Amino acid sequence: FGLSNKFDTEFPSVLTGKVAPEEFKTSINRVNACLRKNLPVNVKWLLCGCLCCCCTLGCSLWPVVCLNKRTRRSIQKLLEWENNRLYHKLGLHWKLSKRKCETSNMMEYVILIEFLPKYPIFRPD
């Protein structure tokens, strides 16, 4: 379903001077812990759904779709919590986004880190 089983903890060079490498690694480890908790259950349901797919006319795959959606929502909530806790104060915004794979036509989910525009606080309304 395009959701990675873990995200890379390597510190991107574009974030140098914006956020501490330890904070970045802590945030990514939280996301990876959420994936580690949820994905084994999803895989078991997927295997069960694939085995029973012919008998149930595809309805046995619905639990996998729902579990995948729940995992995505929990990651999005975690990223929002991280944004509110730290990254919005630093002028960054993390979000889960769907994009096309570089090697194939399949879609995958990635974590995008966007730079928020700075608002001039001394300009009158």
Side-chain angles (χ1 to χ4, degrees), residues 1 3 41-42 45-46 49 58-73 109:
F1 295 99
L3 197 57
V41 176
N42 292 8
W45 276 102
L46 179 64
C59 292
S60 59
L61 293 175
W62 275 108
V64 179
V65 172
C66 294
L67 286 171
N68 188 47
K69 191 173 185 179
R70 186 180 76 177
T71 303
R72 277 192 325 243
R73 279 191 192 147
Y109 284 94

Side-chain angles (χ1 to χ4, degrees), residues 82-99:
E82 289 285 343
N83 283 331
N84 292 331
R85 180 185 71 87
L86 176 68
Y87 294 108
H88 281 173
K89 296 171 189 168
L90 299 174
L92 300 170
H93 180 77
W94 289 38
K95 70 177 184 177
L96 192 65
S97 178
K98 193 187 257 189
R99 73 166 186 179

Side-chain angles (χ1 to χ4, degrees), residues 18-104:
K18 300 278 185 192
V19 65
E22 297 83 20
E23 287 290 340
F24 175 83
K25 190 171 185 177
T26 302
S27 299
I28 291 293
N29 285 338
R30 283 188 183 122
V31 172
N32 287 340
C34 180
L35 287 171
R36 262 193 313 274
K37 184 178 80 174
N38 291 322
L39 285 181
V41 176
N42 292 8
V43 170
K44 290 175 187 172
W45 276 102
L46 179 64
L47 291 175
C48 181
C50 288
L51 291 174
C52 302
C53 189
C54 295
C55 301
T56 62
L57 300 174
C59 292
S60 59
L61 293 175
W62 275 108
V64 179
V65 172
C66 294
L67 286 171
N68 188 47
K69 191 173 185 179
R70 186 180 76 177
T71 303
R72 277 192 325 243
R73 279 191 192 147
S74 65
I75 291 173
Q76 288 169 343
K77 284 182 183 180
L78 178 64
L79 291 176
E80 276 304 311
W81 180 79
E82 289 285 343
N83 283 331
N84 292 331
R85 180 185 71 87
L86 176 68
Y87 294 108
H88 281 173
K89 296 171 189 168
L90 299 174
L92 300 170
H93 180 77
W94 289 38
K95 70 177 184 177
L96 192 65
S97 178
K98 193 187 257 189
R99 73 166 186 179
K100 198 174 202 177
C101 289
E102 296 171 357
T103 57
S104 67

